[in-house]
Amino acid sequence: MKILRRTLMALLILGISGCTTVQTPEIDKMPSPTEAATATMAITTTDQPMVQISLPVGYIPNVQFAPLYVGIEKGFYNTAGLDVSIDYSMENDNAVLLATGELQFAILSGEQVVLGRAQGLPLVYTMAWYQQYPVGVVSKTAKGITSVADLKEKKIGLPGLFGASYIGVMALLYSGGLTGADVTLDSIGFNQVEMLLTDREDAVVVYVANEPAQLESMGEEITVLKVSDAMQMVGNGLVTSEKVMAENPELVRAMTLATLQSIQYTIDHPDEAYEIAKKYVTNLESADQVVQKQVLLNSIELWRAKRPGYSEPAGWENMKSVLEKMGMLSSPVDLTKCFTNEFIPE
């Protein structure tokens, strides 16, 4: 179990890591499609007492969590009868805490759910936040790496041989007919930008919303190979337990819909969402505003969906296949129990 806890925690920390940091419609104006979609997610306030929700996100305060800040600040959670606070602690294994009933919800990535279920943890993914897997491989354009095949015999730096970055780069390699034996994977910590700029690595594994924005702000010409362009995988989303879902489905529905509403509002009002994030991310005001705003805009592109929150079964199949090829799954997993779309609006 100690090994499981370390593995799941490593995945959690990297699964949502990123960088270190409106107008009101006119009365007579028809709502846009996205505004209409948001309206369908709204939940009517009830007279019931507020349900206290501590939501762990597995990382420090950051602009990438703008939808959660929006949900709190704009009252979307309160309207749903929820008093949500964000838990940034990284020392706890939130997948295990969900399974044991110490948590009701957490933001986790798809691989954590699959790996957890393989170990008997009754986790259920109820809402896809990231519609695109957020990992990619970036190189200087001068290196001429324009396809996965071009990565053969190259040195690729990544935080370590764990987490979403590791799973993402392996998925990318597999998509091009390569394996880990065809490249040199160097554990470099979170120094991707420096290692690439100083040519100590031919390419580095990044979160596509983050490091590319930093590199481009420095005037560097780069090429990004996105995992999402190669195959569909399961990114970060809202996760609960079988017990909570069985005993209080309306709580799960309220949390899912309020979070979806918050994400949609952020997509529709990025400038306002960015200003709201400043109230929650203490170092955001002093950070490079151009870069941080671009990180938010890049993140928004990863969240967009025709049917917000919907979890594609093909992504789960691909995730399972990659984990099996990596030798990380030692037990069978019933993917139909890993996720549900029953709380997602049609």
Side-chain angles (χ1 to χ4, degrees):
M1 181 58 73
K2 290 183 178 180
I3 294 175
L4 168 62
R5 285 172 178 266
R6 288 197 298 270
T7 300
L8 289 174
M9 193 56 226
L11 288 169
L12 175 60
I13 292 173
L14 291 183
I16 49 179
S17 65
C19 61
T20 54
T21 58
V22 184
Q23 295 180 344
T24 303
E26 298 174 8
I27 298 298
D28 59 350
K29 182 180 177 182
M30 291 296 290
S32 68
T34 50
E35 290 168 338
T38 299
T40 65
M41 298 173 195
I43 304 171
T44 304
T45 305
T46 69
D47 294 329
Q48 299 298 318
M50 287 284 183
V51 178
Q52 303 293 317
I53 302 290
S54 178
L55 182 67
V57 295
Y59 195 59
I60 61 176
N62 192 276
V63 70
Q64 70 181 304
F65 300 129
L68 304 180
Y69 308 142
V70 164
I72 294 171
E73 195 73 12
K74 301 296 291 186
F76 297 145
Y77 286 119
N78 282 350
T79 299
L82 308 171
D83 183 3
V84 174
S85 60
I86 302 175
D87 177 7
Y88 299 104
S89 62
M90 294 187 287
E91 72 275 11
N92 293 325
D93 187 339
N94 294 318
V96 173
L97 294 178
L98 273 177
T100 58
E102 295 177 61
L103 289 173
Q104 294 167 301
F105 301 97
I107 300 297
L108 301 178
S109 52
E111 66 269 13
Q112 293 170 263
V113 176
V114 176
L115 291 171
R117 296 227 41 132
Q119 297 294 331
L121 303 183
L123 308 178
V124 185
Y125 187 100
T126 72
M127 184 213 79
W129 179 351
Y130 281 72
Q131 296 296 321
Q132 298 179 41
Y133 203 68
V135 175
V137 172
V138 64
S139 62
K140 290 183 176 180
T141 299
K143 290 285 185 180
I145 301 174
T146 60
S147 69
V148 175
D150 295 330
L151 291 172
K152 188 171 184 178
E153 299 182 354
K154 295 296 192 293
K155 291 178 59 180
I156 305 174
L158 73 168
L161 302 183
F162 51 81
S165 293
Y166 181 36
I167 291 167
V169 70
M170 293 305 298
L172 197 61
L173 292 174
Y174 294 149
S175 74
L178 302 180
T179 69
D182 294 311
V183 300
T184 299
L185 294 177
D186 293 333
S187 297
I188 61 172
F190 297 96
N191 300 303
Q192 297 101 314
V193 171
E194 176 188 353
M195 297 295 277
L196 189 71
L197 289 175
T198 56
D199 293 313
R200 283 180 279 180
E201 300 291 337
D202 297 311
V204 291
V205 183
V206 300
Y207 278 80
V208 296
N210 179 13
E211 286 86 359
Q214 295 182 46
L215 289 162
E216 288 171 344
S217 75
M218 299 173 186
E220 193 66 52
E221 294 186 5
I222 59 173
T223 301
V224 182
L225 301 177
K226 299 179 180 179
V227 173
S228 60
D229 288 338
M231 70 170 66
Q232 187 171 28
M233 299 273 278
V234 184
N236 307 315
L238 186 67
V239 181
T240 189
S241 67
E242 288 182 355
K243 187 175 189 297
V244 171
M245 196 168 72
E247 295 182 353
N248 200 342
E250 289 310 310
L251 173 63
V252 178
R253 188 180 308 279
M255 185 65 181
T256 299
L257 295 183
T259 303
L260 279 176
Q261 186 177 13
S262 303
I263 294 169
Q264 190 64 58
Y265 192 92
T266 302
I267 292 172
D268 293 340
H269 308 87
D271 291 337
E272 182 184 0
Y274 186 80
E275 292 303 313
I276 289 173
K278 288 181 179 179
K279 300 179 182 180
Y280 293 82
V281 184
T282 55
N283 63 341
L284 185 56
E285 194 79 60
S286 60
D288 186 319
Q289 298 300 290
V290 173
V291 172
Q292 292 304 304
K293 286 181 180 179
Q294 191 59 51
V295 169
L296 177 58
L297 293 176
N298 290 348
S299 297
I300 283 173
E301 293 308 308
L302 302 179
W303 305 337
R304 292 186 187 277
K306 292 181 179 178
R307 185 181 175 189
Y310 183 77
S311 200
E312 291 284 355
W316 291 94
E317 292 287 352
N318 291 337
M319 179 68 74
K320 179 182 177 183
S321 176
V322 169
L323 292 173
E324 287 174 340
K325 288 181 181 179
M326 294 176 68
M328 297 184 71
L329 279 181
S330 56
S331 303
V333 176
D334 182 352
L335 292 180
T336 64
K337 294 183 178 180
C338 289
F339 70 98
T340 180
N341 286 312
E342 69 174 283
F343 303 105
I344 305 303
E346 292 291 342

